[in-house]
Amino acid sequence: METKTKVALVTGGNRGLGKNSALKIAQKGLDVIITYRSNRDEAEDVVNEIKEMGRNAVAFQLDTKDRKSFDAFVKNVTTHLQETAGNPNIDYLINNAGTALYSPITEVTEEQMDDIVDIHFKGVFFLTQKLLSFINDGGGIINISSGLARFATPGSSVYGSIKAGVEMLTKYMAKELGIRKIRANVVAPGAIETDFGGGRVRDDKEINDMVAGATALGRVGLPDDIGGVVAFLCTEDAGWINGQRIEASGGMFL
């Protein structure tokens, strides 16, 4: 009997950690769906790179802040899968899409907080809820958190606190979805050299040096340090990992 190729959906898969995760997942032999908020050209470049590996890939527009768009998004994805694969379901959902906020407590506005909550918590919660009936039993959910949910650095009070909420939410997902053998885990990157947050960690030498000095392995993280961890959780080898937080930070602030 022919084994069905598994499918992973990566939000924010057009750049940074999402892109790296999508490529590493494809290298594991899965087909990949990615989302992008505004840069379609970037997304199509990732899709083409995955197709060159011999895997199927497609990109859909999605703003995880716009929860009213989720029903249409899910319909588009499931219709595409039904038409191309004969089955509307996915196996893995990687909630990666996000944005940064660097601001001291004294200066955070309610609008800024609402944006982070909407994108990083409500977006993760309700997109997962909408997709649950289309995640195959035995599949998995991977929520991307941050080292900032473990240690505190000035200016990240809102972002770090919401990511901590996502980590607890992941435990509830693992508990409630266990009956369907769906695993839910967190991957928490440390500081990574990407364009996230305007590329601060990558482009600001003072920040880069500080992070490297605070990291046991003596350097700042790269996207390649994270994507493979996410991809591993999309394999049978990770089948007994559930409700866990995996920090990939090189030993930052130990």
Side-chain angles (χ1 to χ4, degrees):
M1 187 173 70
E2 186 178 348
T3 302
K4 175 187 173 292
T5 300
K6 293 187 175 181
V7 179
L9 193 163
V10 183
T11 66
N14 58 299
R15 64 182 181 86
L17 301 186
K19 172 183 176 179
N20 192 272
S21 296
L23 295 174
K24 292 292 181 68
I25 289 168
Q27 288 172 9
K28 294 286 188 184
L30 282 74
D31 292 339
V32 184
I33 298 167
I34 67 170
T35 76
Y36 64 95
R37 185 176 65 85
S38 58
N39 198 322
R40 181 176 181 83
D41 289 341
E42 273 186 351
E44 289 301 329
D45 287 344
V46 177
V47 166
N48 290 333
E49 199 169 340
I50 291 171
K51 286 181 175 178
E52 288 173 4
M53 300 179 195
R55 302 264 44 96
N56 294 319
V58 66
F60 290 96
Q61 194 279 332
L62 176 69
D63 183 349
T64 55
K65 181 181 173 182
D66 182 12
R67 294 184 298 281
K68 292 181 180 178
S69 71
F70 288 0
D71 284 332
F73 168 77
V74 171
K75 184 175 181 180
N76 288 338
V77 168
T78 55
T79 298
H80 169 82
L81 288 172
Q82 183 66 54
E83 291 175 351
T84 59
N87 187 310
N89 289 2
I90 64 173
D91 296 280
Y92 298 98
L93 169 62
I94 297 88
N95 286 305
N96 164 79
T99 187
L101 172 61
Y102 302 106
S103 184
I105 291 172
T106 53
E107 296 178 15
V108 172
T109 67
E110 188 172 357
E111 182 181 13
Q112 286 177 318
M113 179 179 285
D114 286 346
D115 280 347
I116 297 298
V117 172
D118 285 346
I119 294 167
H120 287 280
F121 193 85
K122 286 186 175 182
V124 169
F125 187 101
F126 288 108
L127 182 61
T128 303
Q129 183 190 71
K130 296 285 187 184
L131 284 165
L132 271 179
S133 60
F134 296 103
I135 298 177
N136 284 320
D137 290 358
I141 297 165
I142 299 121
N143 294 324
I144 304 301
S145 180
S146 170
L148 292 164
R150 175 177 65 85
F151 51 77
T153 63
S156 294
S157 61
V158 174
Y159 181 84
S161 297
I162 297 307
K163 286 299 192 183
V166 168
E167 293 189 3
M168 181 54 75
L169 172 63
T170 305
K171 292 183 179 181
Y172 277 96
M173 288 178 176
K175 193 75 168 180
E176 294 190 14
L177 301 178
I179 193 170
R180 293 180 52 195
K181 304 298 185 284
I182 292 175
R183 297 173 293 110
N185 292 290
V186 165
V187 173
I192 308 293
E193 289 188 2
T194 68
D195 59 2
F196 186 75
R200 291 169 87 243
V201 174
R202 181 191 61 201
D203 301 333
D204 187 316
K205 187 178 187 306
E206 185 176 346
I207 293 175
N208 196 288
D209 289 347
M210 181 278 290
V211 170
T215 302
L217 293 181
R219 65 169 174 83
V220 176
L222 301 170
D224 268 342
D225 296 320
I226 308 301
V229 180
V230 176
F232 162 68
L233 290 172
C234 297
T235 69
E236 296 301 319
D237 288 340
W240 202 235
I241 299 176
N242 193 25
Q244 300 304 304
R245 177 188 191 274
I246 302 174
E247 181 172 315
S249 68
M252 188 174 175
F253 290 131
L254 293 177

